[in-house]
Amino acid sequence: MRRPIARALTGALGLIAAGAGPLATAPPAAADSVVVGGQPTRITEAPWVVALSSRDRFGGTRAGQFCGGVVVAPTKVLTAAHCLGREVLGGEPWQLSDFTVIAGRTSLRGRGGQEVRVSGTWVNPAYDRRTNSGDLAVLTLAKALPESYVIEVARPDDAALSPGTAAAVYGWGDTTGKGTYAMSLRSARVRVLPDEACERAYQSGSGAAYRGDTMLCAGDPEGGRDACQGDSGGPLVAGGRLIGLVSWGSGCGQPENPGVYTRVPTVLPSRI
Ligand code: 4AZ
């Protein structure tokens, strides 16, 4: 039931027929509405959220969106390392001729905001694609975004990382767990969960296992609210600070399978 992320992303990109993956056999507990169980939001409410795009590779219908990202400095965007994997991009990131970050735009159908070219990529050398540990990459932008788009990264000892903290996840990903990708930005309210909740759900033995040192567990104890395919690399925010990046999980919105996020404050090097 634990989908390798490459497959998850492949599904997210529509390269596998929607419904062909394990998600089809295990629908989320509450598939009612990024983000599953979320609500529409405007980019002005969350200006640090960006979409990663390549129309050449992913088509123009949704402006080439294939992952999320978050602005942490005017020319620096964090995303998930797995978003830049060969399985997703079909090659190396620099081989994508039109790799951009879309900032300041709520709807992928709209023309607002700006599209900025990605001029450099750095993948966390400690990222392990077998276990998903350290799932973080840094994009350098060819042109600076406004300072007002930048979100502060929490420190490793920030209380916002404690279990029980209210947090929000943002993205243009699947809203049902069945391949229904959003055209407009959504957010879902979740809670930081104790490591044990993810340790229980994702034990070692088959592929990715939860590791509290590099990963963060968050979700809705009652199920229904969660990140999903296409949200990868997007932000998990608590107390106005960045605490996580959407990384992986089994299905979407199932209470027994919380979302797993990159623990940004510990995984991100102090200088980028
Ligand atoms: C994915 O496939 C994915 N419910 C992202 C997040 C979650 C599951 C899958 C968490 O990119």
Side-chain angles (χ1 to χ4, degrees):
M1 268 325 300
R2 199 163 310 135
R3 294 167 310 132
I5 217 69
R7 184 188 166 84
L9 247 279
T10 311
L13 307 172
L15 301 178
I16 290 178
L23 279 172
T25 55
D32 58 358
S33 97
V34 171
V35 181
V36 173
Q39 70 226 0
T41 188
R42 302 202 64 80
I43 199 72
T44 44
E45 303 292 316
W48 15 264
V49 189
V50 297
L52 270 48
S53 154
S54 168
R55 291 176 178 83
D56 277 358
R57 174 127 180 104
F58 304 107
T61 319
R62 298 178 58 263
Q65 188 270 350
F66 66 96
C67 266
V70 54
V71 183
V72 296
T75 61
K76 300 289 176 187
V77 164
L78 302 188
T79 189
H82 82 256
C83 287
L84 304 186
R86 271 192 165 275
E87 303 84 351
V88 176
L89 301 185
E92 299 303 320
W94 56 86
Q95 293 175 308
L96 278 186
S97 56
D98 69 339
F99 187 9
T100 65
V101 153
I102 305 179
R105 185 174 299 170
T106 302
S107 169
L108 298 174
R109 281 200 194 92
R111 291 171 164 273
Q114 48 185 312
E115 301 192 14
V116 181
R117 207 164 274 283
V118 174
S119 58
T121 57
W122 178 88
V123 174
N124 177 16
Y127 167 57
D128 181 338
R129 44 189 237 130
R130 194 180 57 83
T131 63
N132 283 325
S133 179
D135 193 7
L136 180 140
V138 183
L139 310 180
T140 300
L141 306 182
K143 181 171 163 278
L145 293 170
E147 190 71 51
S148 60
Y149 285 19
V150 172
I151 190 170
E152 182 190 346
V153 179
R155 291 173 182 272
D157 62 353
D158 195 311
L161 292 149
S162 317
T165 304
V169 57
Y170 297 80
W172 288 269
D174 191 348
T175 61
T176 60
K178 297 182 208 158
T180 319
Y181 295 97
M183 274 293 179
S184 205
L185 182 63
R186 302 179 70 85
S187 75
R189 298 168 68 85
V190 293
R191 279 188 191 280
V192 176
L193 299 175
D195 287 331
E196 295 74 51
C198 278
E199 282 163 1
R200 214 178 301 127
Y202 308 114
Q203 286 161 12
S204 50
S206 54
Y210 183 81
R211 285 181 48 169
D213 56 342
T214 57
M215 301 175 191
L216 183 64
C217 188
D220 174 1
E222 309 202 320
R225 302 184 199 176
D226 197 4
C228 201
Q229 292 179 47
D231 293 321
S232 282
L236 179 69
V237 173
R241 298 179 294 285
L242 177 69
I243 60 171
L245 301 176
V246 176
S247 180
W248 62 283
S250 179
C252 307
Q254 303 167 340
E256 69 279 17
N257 292 318
V260 184
Y261 295 79
T262 309
R263 190 180 285 270
V264 175
T266 43
V267 173
L268 181 67
S270 47
R271 288 182 65 89
I272 55 166

